[in-house]
Amino acid sequence: MKILIVEDEQGLRENMLTYLSEDNNICESCADLATAITKLAGYQYDFVLLDIGLPDGEGFEILHYLKKEMRNEAVIIISARNSLDDRIKGLNIGADDYLVKPFHLAELKARIVAVFRRKAANSNNNLVFNEIVINLIGRTVFINDVEILLTRKEYDMLLYFIANKGKVIAKTALAEHLWGDEMDMHDNFDFIYSHIKNLRKKILDVTTNDYLKSVYGIGYKFTDK
Amino acid sequence: MKLAAHYNKVNIIVTLSVLVVGAVIYFFAINTITNNRLDEELGEEVSEVISYIQQYKQLPKQFDIDENQVEFIKTNLLNSKPRYFDTTYVNPRKSGDKSGRAFEGGLSFKGDNYRFRIIISSESTVYLKQIITAITLILMLVVLTILSLANRYLLNDLWKPFFGLLAHMKAFNVSESSSFKLTNNKVDEFNDLDNAIGVMSSRVKNDFQNLKHFTENASHEMLTPLAVITSKLDTLIQDETLKKEHFDQIQDIYGAAGKLSRLNQSLLLLVKIENNLIADNDTLNLQQLINDKLRQFQELLTSKEIQIYAELEDKEVVVSKYLIDILLNNLLSNAIRHNQVKGNINIYLTGDRLVIQNSGSDVPLDGEAIFDRFQKGSTSDGAGLGLTIVKNICNVCGWDMQYLFINNLHTFSIVF
């Protein structure tokens, strides 16, 4: 996947670049509107991650440009502005998703994967990770052709893990993804643990590969290595 | 006391005393003038009597001298001092006592000393005085009545712009963008006041807008550094050489960053609510919303083994879906967070109120302070904005929010 990151905050830009530059992804980045337009004019991308508040203008202009040029890059807006108006405006001009700062990189990755899957929905409805096959339309999970029954939370969790495979995911990121940040848990992660335990047990019931690893109390890692 | 009453009080006291003093002076003046006139008349009578005596060499008889009464009394006293005085006498031609003015003096006649007294009627002057008194009294009454009536109407009319202004100021809302409307009127003072208030209100609004923008901008500016912190941490934890101690530290930083971003969101939300920026009202079934919320909180409830007792009637409210969601979230997460393990939560929803009770600390909370910003219990690790937000949402919806401590249960009730 070819991704263009348009973000003026250097620290954030670099981290997004490193985090996303795996899985055969090619990432490029720029810090302002003018460079972004030049890059978009010259190359084709799959994805644009777009900050709204740029030093030389509003990121919405890039959306207008893409719309005018009839391009089909997927766009995720990354904004510090959590206003409904901005969200609606962005989605109306053609953004595919709207992510409010601060966000976890794992969340960004999961959103990218979700948007990508939605865009490619017709071609492939199955998500495959080794022996795990997930039917995205039926929301069913098969391991070695045996169906395992997951609760909604466990299913969402599995998708999230696979989108961020090989990465350590912080518990806070996982909790925010599954319960939303408005449910203020104040660092009570006990019940996340029980969901993880159940998911892990259901997977281990049908396969010997233990993909789900706990990382020193900070979070979890879904990996086949 | 109202201004008009104050004014009337002073006005009436001053008018009354001036009128009373005036009337007294008037009375005495008229009295003196009429007495002088009568005394002059008496003087003429006296000289008439004396000339009669000199002419006829005898004391005049009663009927000789008009209708005035003259009497002579033989006395040993020589030349008693002449004096004028008021008296009453009996007029044989009229019934009853009549008031009169008398002169008393002495004279010698044929070797005898006489004291003589002449009385003339002062009836007409008494009558005059009575009429003048009556007219004065009536005039006083009329003046007072007219004054108070005139004052009332005049004041009411004159002060009308003031009351208009007052109503304006009472309705003044700092967050409303509509500017202060100047009422044009003919009194310069009120025009001045009007202008001053207009200037003041626009300055207040300006300041408030600036403050609001500052809060908004400050919060927004904080979000990007927060995003940097989070993304750095997300990257950092990928490092496989880190040890357990490092992860513990990182976990704490995650916690602090999360708290900061929640605080930020709460502040931004407060600004929005206080400025009535969220106005997408829908008709919502509260019973259904609460049930949904309870389902959403199920895991938290079971992890603390909290017993829920819910008695919910069907109730529809017209409110922003976003706000009611936050309201229920804050109330329920408070009820869970400040609860003990194996505690209870009771929820009652009736046509006119929503009551949420939870067990927890045995000490009642300060019912006033808990709704203030950044007020939180010693054991709370929140920002202390949750209940402020709830209270503000209630204010926006026109609901009343109360806290009571009943039967060892912390009780929050919203009266619709």
Side-chain angles (χ1 to χ4, degrees):
Chain A
M1 226 182 329
K2 216 173 155 196
I3 302 173
L4 176 65
I5 301 166
V6 189
E7 162 68 58
D8 60 325
E9 184 67 37
Q10 192 200 352
L12 189 58
R13 192 171 63 235
E14 284 169 0
N15 280 101
M16 292 197 316
L17 201 71
T18 343
Y19 196 91
L20 298 173
S21 293
E22 286 169 21
D23 282 354
N24 306 321
N25 289 340
I26 301 159
C27 293
E28 284 179 28
S29 68
C30 60
D32 54 41
L33 207 61
T35 330
I37 301 270
T38 321
K39 276 187 183 283
L40 282 168
Y43 309 94
Q44 196 82 32
Y45 295 90
D46 297 305
F47 245 99
V48 181
L49 303 180
L50 185 61
D51 186 12
I52 292 295
L54 292 168
D56 56 344
E58 293 217 317
F60 292 122
E61 284 182 36
I62 288 178
L63 285 171
H64 284 299
Y65 172 81
L66 291 175
K67 200 171 185 181
K68 198 180 78 200
E69 299 284 309
M70 315 251 278
R71 303 276 288 263
N72 52 5
E73 273 90 349
V75 179
I76 293 183
I77 293 176
I78 301 160
S79 171
R81 277 185 287 191
N82 185 14
S83 91
L84 203 61
D85 291 342
D86 275 0
R87 198 180 282 254
I88 290 170
K89 186 178 173 190
L91 297 180
N92 272 345
I93 311 176
D96 295 272
D97 206 346
Y98 193 103
L99 194 56
V100 179
K101 288 180 188 173
F103 52 85
H104 287 280
L105 292 176
E107 181 68 31
L108 177 65
K109 184 79 186 291
R111 299 275 186 112
I112 291 173
V113 172
V115 169
F116 185 71
R117 273 203 308 263
R118 205 160 63 219
K119 287 224 158 185
N122 301 326
S123 51
N124 190 1
N125 294 327
N126 283 348
L127 180 69
V128 183
F129 178 83
N130 294 354
E131 69 269 44
I132 303 175
V133 178
I134 301 172
N135 184 322
L136 295 167
I137 289 179
R139 295 175 73 87
T140 47
V141 180
F142 296 88
I143 299 179
N144 293 329
D145 295 328
V146 181
E147 184 173 2
I148 57 168
L149 292 172
L150 298 181
T151 65
R152 232 185 88 206
K153 285 265 171 347
E154 287 158 5
Y155 176 83
D156 289 343
M157 206 183 253
L158 183 62
L159 280 187
Y160 193 67
F161 277 130
I162 291 177
N164 288 286
K165 55 182 178 277
K167 298 278 188 193
V168 179
I169 297 169
K171 281 189 293 192
T172 45
L174 191 59
E176 263 180 44
H177 177 74
L178 291 178
W179 283 276
D181 49 6
E182 71 268 8
M183 199 170 109
D184 212 342
M185 278 150 308
H186 295 291
D187 309 328
N188 177 358
F189 297 113
D190 297 349
F191 50 92
I192 294 184
Y193 176 68
S194 64
H195 283 285
I196 296 273
K197 208 173 64 183
N198 290 341
L199 176 63
R200 189 156 169 258
K201 191 172 163 295
K202 283 180 185 175
I203 295 173
L204 282 177
D205 278 349
V206 277
T207 174
T208 49
N209 294 329
D210 187 6
Y211 295 120
L212 200 48
K213 297 185 175 72
S214 171
V215 183
Y216 291 125
I218 191 108
Y220 302 92
K221 188 173 182 177
F222 196 82
T223 178
D224 52 0
K225 282 174 200 132
Chain B
M1 211 194 280
K2 280 196 169 182
L3 185 102
H6 275 291
Y7 180 80
N8 266 341
K9 199 175 87 178
V10 173
N11 204 15
I12 284 174
I13 288 175
V14 169
T15 319
L16 258 183
S17 40
V18 166
L19 280 176
V20 165
V21 169
V24 168
I25 292 171
Y26 193 45
F27 176 80
F28 279 109
I30 288 203
N31 210 20
T32 318
I33 290 166
T34 50
N35 279 352
N36 282 346
R37 238 198 64 230
L38 283 173
D39 291 352
E40 259 169 45
E41 225 172 280
L42 274 172
E44 272 170 35
E45 292 291 334
V46 169
S47 51
E48 236 171 79
V49 164
I50 288 170
S51 62
Y52 182 93
I53 291 171
Q54 282 168 348
Q55 195 181 347
Y56 298 99
K57 304 290 180 204
Q58 66 172 60
L59 291 176
K61 291 286 174 290
Q62 176 62 50
F63 48 83
D64 292 333
I65 305 160
D66 303 336
E67 40 179 72
N68 304 328
Q69 290 201 339
V70 182
E71 52 185 9
F72 292 88
I73 302 150
K74 229 183 227 179
T75 174
N76 298 327
L77 286 170
L78 202 71
N79 286 336
S80 57
K81 214 177 172 195
R83 64 188 178 103
Y84 296 94
F85 61 95
D86 289 324
T87 183
T88 55
Y89 70 105
V90 181
N91 188 335
R93 272 167 282 179
K94 288 177 187 161
S95 61
D97 284 357
K98 296 292 163 197
S99 57
R101 182 81 180 163
F103 172 80
E104 201 175 63
L107 85 163
S108 307
F109 179 65
K110 290 179 180 167
D112 288 326
N113 281 329
Y114 290 92
R115 191 157 57 92
F116 76 97
R117 179 183 284 173
I118 304 171
I119 302 172
I120 57 171
S121 168
S122 62
E123 198 95 299
S124 57
T125 60
V126 168
Y127 182 62
L128 187 69
K129 275 190 260 176
Q130 276 171 354
I131 284 194
I132 288 174
T133 314
I135 288 176
T136 312
L137 278 176
I138 290 170
L139 211 62
M140 250 161 94
L141 271 177
V142 169
V143 164
L144 277 181
T145 327
I146 286 176
L147 261 181
S148 60
L149 282 180
N151 280 342
R152 181 177 301 169
Y153 286 111
L154 194 68
L155 278 177
N156 278 356
D157 198 47
L158 272 181
W159 285 93
K160 205 176 256 165
F162 172 79
F163 290 115
L165 214 57
L166 198 68
H168 245 94
M169 287 176 73
K170 278 181 184 162
F172 179 72
N173 183 351
V174 80
S175 58
E176 255 172 32
S177 53
S178 68
S179 65
F180 190 78
K181 215 166 47 226
L182 292 178
T183 50
N184 219 347
N185 57 67
K186 41 189 192 285
V187 184
D188 286 349
E189 283 85 347
F190 286 135
N191 271 334
D192 277 357
L193 186 65
D194 231 26
N195 287 331
I197 290 173
V199 169
M200 190 193 75
S201 72
S202 62
R203 201 169 49 213
V204 164
K205 275 188 179 156
N206 216 359
D207 285 357
F208 182 75
Q209 288 293 330
N210 286 342
L211 193 67
K212 204 177 76 184
H213 283 140
F214 174 77
T215 317
E216 242 177 328
N217 289 339
S219 305
H220 279 140
E221 290 309 316
M222 269 186 262
L223 288 174
T224 305
L226 269 171
V228 176
I229 295 176
T230 314
S231 71
K232 293 276 170 199
L233 290 174
D234 286 345
T235 314
L236 191 59
I237 57 172
Q238 309 304 329
D239 190 340
E240 282 165 12
T241 59
L242 290 179
K243 298 196 178 62
K244 167 113 180 44
E245 304 88 76
H246 301 135
F247 281 121
D248 288 346
Q249 305 275 354
I250 293 171
Q251 181 60 46
D252 288 348
I253 305 177
Y254 265 128
K259 210 163 167 179
L260 202 54
S261 90
R262 278 193 298 269
L263 173 63
N264 237 311
Q265 278 158 10
S266 301
L267 278 175
L268 284 170
L269 180 65
L270 263 180
V271 173
K272 275 190 208 158
I273 298 171
E274 281 171 8
N275 292 316
N276 257 326
L277 293 178
I278 305 165
D280 52 331
N281 283 348
D282 295 313
T283 308
L284 301 169
N285 187 331
L286 200 51
Q287 182 194 33
Q288 199 185 327
L289 287 175
I290 293 173
N291 281 329
D292 289 349
K293 233 350 117 193
L294 285 177
R295 215 167 299 130
Q296 196 185 323
F297 276 93
Q298 196 51 54
E299 283 143 334
L300 273 173
L301 292 166
T302 27
S303 79
K304 260 189 143 173
E305 297 175 59
I306 291 171
Q307 285 289 321
I308 287 272
Y309 174 78
E311 205 177 290
L312 309 175
E313 285 177 19
D314 217 32
K315 165 77 185 168
E316 292 206 328
V317 285
V318 180
V319 69
S320 153
K321 176 147 180 28
Y322 177 58
L323 289 184
I324 193 79
D325 194 58
I326 290 166
L327 182 136
L328 292 176
N329 255 336
N330 286 359
L331 283 178
L332 279 174
S333 59
N334 269 348
I336 296 170
R337 206 179 323 138
H338 299 296
N339 220 321
Q340 72 249 29
V341 175
K342 296 195 180 184
N344 340 43
I345 294 177
N346 303 332
I347 305 175
Y348 305 94
L349 175 66
T350 58
D352 64 336
R353 66 182 63 214
L354 168 67
V355 180
I356 296 181
Q357 297 184 307
N358 68 281
S359 54
S361 133
D362 294 336
V363 190
L365 305 168
D366 181 347
E368 292 294 318
I370 49 168
F371 296 113
D372 290 346
R373 287 177 180 205
F374 302 111
Q375 273 290 330
K376 54 177 179 177
S378 48
T379 53
S380 168
D381 51 0
L385 285 176
L387 282 175
T388 314
I389 291 174
V390 170
K391 179 92 177 175
N392 273 300
I393 294 175
C394 285
N395 284 348
V396 167
C397 302
W399 299 339
D400 197 24
M401 173 91 209
Q402 286 167 340
Y403 167 79
L404 290 169
F405 191 65
I406 306 169
N407 300 332
N408 271 347
L409 291 173
H410 300 278
T411 308
F412 292 89
S413 34
I414 295 174
V415 183
F416 302 123

